[in-house]
């Protein structure tokens, strides 16, 4: 007999409370990396020199996106289970685009109506319109915001997983899909072919596959093949994470990106360990309003924190010490992001979300909408 897919520690709508916290931690990690390490043009100085004690830890925030990808693999497989292509496409459109369009409008407003120069993408009106599709990288158009790069990886994941949606999701088919993708991604990495790399995403595929395998464990219990996929993904993820951090160090220098290989290995290991605990039901959190609010704020925070930094950090640097400027900007980013969710994103989603004829069909949709990641 198949066990229930709704764990006891989930909310009434099927939402895993612990994922809300993990998603928020991932967003804060990315924010910390940008604010305390990466955004030299925003500060007018090297952030790592302004925050020498925090920079080695904040630099690891570059891997917050990798945590997002594992959670995405977990949740998107939950999304497509038992659903058709139309339902999946609608859920993704409603989930991703409202906050994205609002953040794009914010970027256009900041660089079009103010004298802000830091992180300016220097795009034409046509380029901004292409960005509105979220497929700008397909057309070789620059991102309006630096954080948009990960959305292109997510979109490609959705396109690949459409194969499963069309075929019909079953335990066996998911195992075949994960195995084929992992082997093909490894082959693409070894071949170094740019077209294959663009399609198969060898540096990010292991995270998505690991998330999907962990969801199989969560849904059906432990089995040897899903754990083999997790182990293989972990090994490939270490290689990918080290390569990404090394690339950043080559660009900025170790002084400005003071992250060691050991720290990267430990961080990736912790990410996999925590997600394994979630899959096994060993990391359980009772649903609380605060966690719900944090989960709701995550996607807008990821999208908006850059433009908020551009607006607030330059004028505050002359009036406050660096630590106070970073703290005020972080708090402002969280507050603004929650307001964006509560007052704009959620109402827009309610308008766009198709009506359901029964509670039986509505409940899983809420589950997916509220647990998915950017």
């Amino acid at each position: 007999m198949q066990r229930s897919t709704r764990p006891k520690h989930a909310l009434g709508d099927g939402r895993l409370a612990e994922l809300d916290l993990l998603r928020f931690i991932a967003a804060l990690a990315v924010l910390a990396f940008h604010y305390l390490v990466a955004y030299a043009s925003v500060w007018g100085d090297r952030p790592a020199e302004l925050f020498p004690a925090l920079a080695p830890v904040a630099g690891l925030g570059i891997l917050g996106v990798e945590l997002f990808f594992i959670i995405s693999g977990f949740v998107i497989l939950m999304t497509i289970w038992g659903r058709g292509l139309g339902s999946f496409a609608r859920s993704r459109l409603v989930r991703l685009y409202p906050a994205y369009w609002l953040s794009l409008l914010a970027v256009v407003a900041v660089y079009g109506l103010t004298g802000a120069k830091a992180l300016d993408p220097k795009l034409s009106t046509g380029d901004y319109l292409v960005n509105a599709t979220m497929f700008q990288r397909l057309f070789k158009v620059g991102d309006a915001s630096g954080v948009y790069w990960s959305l292109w990886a997510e979109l490609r994941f959705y396109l690949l997983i459409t194969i499963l949606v069309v075929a019909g999701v079953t335990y066996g088919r998911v195992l075949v899909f994960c195995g084929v993708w992992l082997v093909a991604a490894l082959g693409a990495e070894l071949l170094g072919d740019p077209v294959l790399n663009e399609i198969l995403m060898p540096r990010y595929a292991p995270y998505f596959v690991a998330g999907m395998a962990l969801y199989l464990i969560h849904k059906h219990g432990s089995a040897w093949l899903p754990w083999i996929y997790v182990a293989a993904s972990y090994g490939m993820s270490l290689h990918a994470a080290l390569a990404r951090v090394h690339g950043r160090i080559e660009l900025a220098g170790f002084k400005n990106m003071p992250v060691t290989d050991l720290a990267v290995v430990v961080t990736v290991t912790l990410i996999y360990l925590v997600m394994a605990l979630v899959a096994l039901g060993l990391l359980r959190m009772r649903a609380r309003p605060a966690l719900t609010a944090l989960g709701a704020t995550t996607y807008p925070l990821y999208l908006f924190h850059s433009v908020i930094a551009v607006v607030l950090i330059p004028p505050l640097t002359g009036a406050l010490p660096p630590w106070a400027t970073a703290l005020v900007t972080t708090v402002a980013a969280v507050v603004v992001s929650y307001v964006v969710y509560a007052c704009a994103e959620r109402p827009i989603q309610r308008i766009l979300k198709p009506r359901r004829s029964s509670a039986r069909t509505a409940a899983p949709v809420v589950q997916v909408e509220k647990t998915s990641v950017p």
Side-chain angles (χ1 to χ4, degrees), residues 192-208:
D193 182 80
V195 176
L196 288 177
N197 285 344
E198 191 71 12
I199 296 171
L200 297 171
M201 301 184 292
R203 297 294 173 91
Y204 308 121
Y207 300 101
F208 293 120

Side-chain angles (χ1 to χ4, degrees), residues 18-326:
E18 53 269 29
L19 290 185
D20 281 331
L21 180 59
L22 288 177
R23 291 171 59 224
F24 188 73
I25 289 172
L28 274 187
V30 174
L31 180 150
F33 167 64
H34 287 153
Y35 285 12
L36 306 181
V37 175
Y39 284 174
S41 64
V42 175
W43 287 95
D45 200 351
R46 290 289 186 178
E49 296 179 7
L50 298 174
F51 307 97
L54 296 176
V57 176
L60 293 168
I62 193 174
L63 301 175
V65 176
E66 278 73 356
L67 175 53
F68 273 133
F69 287 160
I70 292 186
I71 295 174
S72 184
F74 189 103
V75 173
I76 296 304
L77 183 55
M78 185 192 308
T79 303
I80 66 174
W81 210 287
R83 289 181 174 81
L85 183 59
S87 176
F88 172 61
R90 285 193 300 269
S91 73
R92 294 302 86 209
L93 289 171
V94 171
R95 180 66 184 95
L96 290 185
Y97 277 92
Y100 176 79
W101 285 330
L102 291 170
S103 72
L104 182 59
L105 288 174
V107 171
V108 172
V110 166
Y111 294 112
L113 303 177
T114 75
K117 300 297 181 184
L119 306 181
D120 186 351
K122 295 182 172 60
L123 299 180
S124 67
T125 300
D127 291 338
Y128 279 117
L129 291 174
V130 174
N131 265 261
T133 69
M134 208 183 287
F135 283 85
Q136 61 271 14
R137 291 200 165 207
L138 180 63
F139 301 104
K140 308 302 180 183
V141 173
D143 294 319
S145 174
V147 299
Y148 290 173
W149 73 267
S150 67
L151 301 181
W152 177 229
E154 287 281 345
L155 287 173
R156 285 178 288 169
F157 171 46
Y158 299 163
L159 291 173
L160 286 171
I161 209 169
T162 297
I163 298 170
L164 267 178
V165 180
V166 172
V169 183
T170 65
Y171 183 86
R173 287 170 182 167
V174 173
L175 288 176
V176 172
F177 178 87
C178 289
V180 170
W181 189 12
L182 207 57
V183 171
L186 179 60
E189 177 74 5
L190 295 175
L191 291 174
D193 182 80
V195 176
L196 288 177
N197 285 344
E198 191 71 12
I199 296 171
L200 297 171
M201 301 184 292
R203 297 294 173 91
Y204 308 121
Y207 300 101
F208 293 120
V209 170
M212 295 173 70
L214 288 169
Y215 179 69
L216 288 181
I217 293 166
H218 175 77
K219 180 177 174 64
H220 292 285
S222 290
W224 64 270
L225 189 51
W227 281 117
I228 286 178
Y229 289 162
V230 173
S233 296
Y234 169 71
M236 293 174 66
S237 296
L238 288 177
H239 169 74
L242 287 168
R244 197 151 90 87
V245 171
H246 289 168
R248 185 75 191 189
I249 293 173
E250 288 176 7
L251 288 175
F254 185 79
K255 181 180 178 181
N256 300 310
M257 178 62 176
V259 175
T260 65
D261 287 358
L262 177 60
V264 172
V265 171
V266 170
T267 300
V268 173
T269 302
L270 285 176
I271 289 173
Y272 270 80
L273 177 60
V274 169
M275 287 302 299
L277 293 176
V278 170
L280 292 170
L282 298 177
L283 179 59
R284 300 184 176 187
M285 302 191 71
R286 187 178 299 276
R288 301 181 186 277
L291 284 178
T292 302
L294 292 180
T297 302
T298 299
Y299 186 38
L301 180 60
Y302 180 78
L303 294 174
F304 279 83
H305 75 271
S306 294
V307 71
I308 291 171
V310 170
V311 171
L312 291 184
I313 290 178
L316 290 178
T317 51
L320 299 174
W323 68 267
T325 297

